[in-house]
């Protein structure tokens, strides 16, 4: 929060001006598999220079990630966006083949400098909603009137039911069909199950044409191809005379069912006394069997108690084992690429960190927290490091020092690991610099799976 406030205040004193129409908090809607165009353009004063540009997004599920970095006149997308992110000049990019999971906030951060202000950052943020069209089994909607009336559990009345479907996917955001009555009124579905929408007609039902359609204003519907049959809707004709007979037959079946229940209840009472006698004999026999088995059950209880005691003791022994470590570089690493090592170990509970190789090897299944930090101490040097899990990048940190201002970077992650999995810190480029007094690797066990 302090960094954001400082950036805002400094931006008032520099000359960068945004020239595009994408203002903050703009909402952009695109269809899945299409391109996201983000034309963030700006102008600089003659003495301003671009230090770097970062593009970041925050997805709807709370995850966040880097899209690309522009630094030293080089546009570098991260692996997840390689081949998909293209730079259009200045702060603009195009992300192709957008996916629904990539809906969220997209931010550009432009860092500039001049003789008065060594480093000032400007940012713009918009929300991108990626919509996905619905799909149907046959490529179109089908509507029909169910042959039998159904009982409305809320009103306990028999109702005529119409069904519309079948959607194999509701799209994103999910669509729900809209019903139009013969009188032109709009109704919402009574329920939905597995892509089929159901409408219970009010009593007495009106005859005529009933139509189910997808809502035209839904972003998912708008992503359908212009000639898609799903845009046409579907219509069923309800015969008012026939539905009246359908409701009458349903009420008649209900009356017959009630009479059948009463008949069975009467027959049941005749057998009640015999059942009571049989039940009492069975109860007495059960008590006799219970007395015979009492000694065996007591022995079983004693054995179960002993087993439980041993199990609790074993879990207590396992819970008392702790895992934590903290280590620092013994000397500065300059122009270094690859896994950071060796480390001077300061703390190593559980003996899981190898100081020589710099590799943490998981001693027990559980959830762990790791943090790595570093900084440079001379001008025109940078720190660019990854936190690695079995060769996979799970977090990264980037910082570059300008003039006499020290630049620091930290990356961290919470990971669920199994026994034998490895975690280490790795330098991303060979032209990096890691000052030994500020470079450290720390981790500890948050909770074991067998606690």
């Amino acid at each position: 929060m302090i960094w954001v406030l400082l950036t805002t205040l400094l931006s008032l004193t520099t000359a960068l001006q945004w020239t595009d129409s994408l203002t903050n908090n703009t909402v952009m809607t695109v269809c899945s598999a299409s391109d996201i165009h983000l034309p963030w353009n700006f102008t600089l004063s003659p003495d301003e220079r671009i230090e770097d540009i970062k593009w970041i997004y925050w997805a709807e599920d709370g995850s966040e990630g880097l899209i690309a970095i522009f630094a030293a006149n080089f546009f570098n997308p991260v692996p997840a966006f390689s081949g998909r992110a293209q730079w259009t000049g200045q702060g603009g990019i195009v992300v192709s083949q957008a996916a629904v999971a990539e809906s969220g906030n997209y931010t550009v951060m432009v860092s500039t400098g001049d003789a008065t202000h060594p480093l000032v950052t400007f940012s713009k943020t918009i929300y991108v909603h990626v919509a996905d069209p619905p799909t149907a089994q046959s490529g179109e909607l089908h509507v029909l009137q169910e042959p039998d009336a159904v009982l409305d559990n809320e009103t306990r009345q028999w109702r005529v039911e119409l069904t519309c479907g079948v959607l194999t996917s509701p799209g994103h955001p999910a669509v729900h069909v809209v019903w139009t009555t013969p009188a032109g009124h709009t109704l919402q579905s009574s329920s939905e199950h597995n892509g089929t929408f159901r409408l219970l007609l009010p009593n007495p039902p009106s005859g005529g044409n009933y139509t189910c359609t997808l809502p035209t204003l839904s972003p998912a519907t708008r992503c359908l191809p212009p000639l898609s049959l799903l845009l046409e809707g579907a219509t069923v004709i309800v015969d008012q005379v026939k539905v009246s007979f359908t409701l009458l037959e349903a009420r008649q079946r209900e009356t017959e069912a009630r009479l059948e229940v009463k008949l069975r209840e009467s027959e049941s009472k005749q057998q009640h006394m015999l059942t009571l006698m049989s039940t009492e004999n069975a109860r007495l026999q059960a008590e006799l069997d219970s007395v015979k088995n009492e000694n065996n059950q007591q022995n079983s209880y004693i054995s179960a108690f002993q087993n439980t005691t041993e199990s609790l003791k074993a879990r207590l022994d396992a819970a008392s084992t702790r895992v934590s470590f903290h280590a620092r570089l013994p000397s500065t690493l300059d122009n270094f690429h690859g896994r950071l090592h060796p480390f001077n170990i300061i703390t190593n509970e559980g003996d899981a960190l190898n100081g020589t190789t710099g590799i943490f090897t998981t001693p027990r299944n559980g959830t762990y927290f790791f943090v790595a930090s570093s900084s440079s101490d001379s001008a025109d040097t940078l720190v660019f490091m990854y936190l690695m899990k079995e060769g996979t990048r799970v977090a990264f940190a980037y910082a570059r020092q300008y003039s006499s201002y020290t630049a620091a970077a930290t990356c961290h992650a919470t990971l669920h690991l199994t026994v034998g999995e490895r975690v280490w810190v790795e330098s991303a480029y060979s032209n990096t610099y890691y000052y030994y007094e500020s470079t450290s690797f720390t981790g500890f066990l948050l909770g074991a799976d067998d606690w």
Side-chain angles (χ1 to χ4, degrees):
M1 180 62 80
I2 294 176
W3 178 86
V4 173
L5 178 59
L6 178 60
T7 300
T8 303
L9 294 175
L10 288 175
S11 65
L12 298 176
T13 65
T14 57
L16 183 145
Q17 297 292 327
W18 297 101
T19 60
D20 62 273
S21 61
L22 293 180
T23 59
N24 277 331
N25 301 320
T26 297
V27 177
M28 174 188 297
T29 300
V30 300
C31 296
S32 60
S34 62
D35 297 342
I36 302 174
H37 293 266
L38 303 173
W40 284 304
N41 298 318
F42 54 82
T43 59
L44 300 173
S45 65
D47 59 344
E48 270 188 302
R49 65 184 183 277
I50 295 177
E51 300 297 345
D52 60 56
I53 305 175
K54 300 183 184 72
W55 292 269
I56 304 170
Y57 79 98
W58 286 265
E60 290 180 338
D61 62 4
S63 62
E64 62 180 271
L66 180 68
I67 299 174
I69 295 177
F70 177 83
N73 293 322
F74 180 70
F75 179 72
N76 182 28
V78 300
F81 287 89
S82 177
R84 294 180 55 211
Q86 297 181 353
W87 184 45
T88 61
Q90 298 183 340
I93 61 170
V94 175
V95 178
S96 61
Q97 295 297 312
V100 172
E102 293 172 341
S103 298
N105 286 316
Y106 285 68
T107 298
V108 61
M109 301 176 67
V110 183
S111 297
T112 68
D114 57 26
T116 305
H117 303 93
L119 183 63
V120 181
T121 300
F122 304 81
S123 67
K124 282 274 188 173
T125 299
I126 71 166
Y127 182 85
V128 178
H129 183 84
V130 182
D132 199 38
T135 57
Q137 286 182 347
S138 59
E140 60 183 331
L141 293 176
H142 294 274
V143 63
L144 56 87
Q145 175 187 331
E146 293 299 321
D148 296 325
V150 298
L151 184 63
D152 187 345
N153 292 327
E154 294 184 1
T155 63
R156 305 307 299 174
Q157 293 182 347
W158 290 97
R159 308 271 290 275
V160 173
E161 182 180 58
L162 307 182
T163 60
C164 178
V166 175
L167 293 182
T168 55
S169 170
H172 180 82
V175 297
H176 298 272
V177 301
V178 177
W179 298 83
T180 303
T181 69
H185 300 305
T186 299
L187 299 177
Q188 300 298 321
S189 299
S190 304
S191 63
E192 181 273 336
H193 181 68
N194 291 336
T196 297
F197 299 87
R198 304 177 184 276
L199 175 67
L200 296 178
L201 299 184
N203 286 332
S206 301
N209 293 337
Y210 287 81
T211 302
C212 68
T213 57
L214 297 178
T216 57
L217 297 181
S218 169
T221 303
R222 292 181 176 181
C223 288
L224 287 168
L227 300 180
S228 173
L229 296 178
L230 284 175
L231 296 173
E232 299 181 2
T235 300
V236 63
I237 301 176
V238 174
D239 188 316
Q240 190 166 4
V241 175
K242 290 183 178 179
V243 296
S244 297
F245 277 109
T246 298
L247 294 175
L248 182 61
E249 291 173 351
R251 296 188 189 103
Q252 182 177 357
R253 288 194 299 269
E254 181 183 22
T255 301
E256 292 174 351
R258 289 178 179 176
L259 292 175
E260 182 67 24
V261 170
K262 290 182 178 180
L263 178 61
R264 288 197 299 267
E265 289 177 349
S266 177
E267 294 174 348
S268 176
K269 290 179 180 179
Q270 297 177 6
Q271 300 295 326
H272 183 60
M273 293 304 298
L274 293 176
T275 302
L276 288 178
M277 294 177 60
S278 177
T279 301
E280 181 65 14
N281 289 336
R283 185 185 66 80
L284 293 175
Q285 183 62 46
E287 289 183 358
L288 179 60
D289 294 339
S290 176
V291 172
K292 292 179 179 179
N293 295 328
E294 185 175 351
N295 290 336
N296 292 334
Q297 290 177 352
Q298 289 178 350
N299 293 334
S300 177
Y301 293 151
I302 293 173
S303 177
F305 178 77
Q306 291 174 342
N307 292 338
T308 301
T309 302
E310 292 298 326
S311 175
L312 291 175
K313 183 177 182 301
R315 293 181 62 185
L316 180 61
D317 292 340
S320 63
T321 301
R322 298 186 296 180
V323 179
S324 66
F325 69 89
H326 178 66
R328 295 174 55 189
L329 285 181
S331 59
T332 297
L333 297 178
D334 192 5
N335 292 324
F336 184 80
H337 181 223
R339 175 168 32 83
L340 297 187
H341 71 286
F343 280 97
N344 282 344
I345 293 179
I346 299 173
T347 300
N348 197 9
E349 290 185 299
D351 198 27
L353 177 67
N354 187 318
T356 302
T357 63
I359 295 178
F360 171 85
T361 303
T362 305
R364 60 189 302 187
N365 298 344
T367 302
Y368 294 78
F369 178 79
F370 299 92
V371 60
S373 61
S374 183
S375 70
S376 57
D377 68 344
S378 60
D380 297 324
T381 60
L382 59 86
V383 170
F384 199 159
M385 59 184 178
Y386 295 110
L387 189 61
M388 308 290 291
K389 171 194 171 184
E390 289 294 333
T392 299
R393 302 169 183 172
V394 296
F396 85 99
Y398 169 84
R400 183 172 181 178
Q401 180 168 338
Y402 303 93
S403 185
S404 60
Y405 293 89
T406 299
T410 298
C411 58
H412 49 80
T414 301
L415 304 173
H416 183 271
L417 303 175
T418 58
V419 172
E421 288 189 307
R422 302 172 300 166
V423 177
W424 64 87
V425 182
E426 186 169 303
S427 176
Y429 296 103
S430 59
N431 60 341
T432 52
Y433 184 96
Y434 300 92
Y435 184 45
Y436 76 98
E437 288 191 346
S438 62
T439 302
S440 64
F441 184 26
T442 300
F444 53 86
L445 175 64
L446 290 173
D449 290 349
D450 54 0
W451 283 4

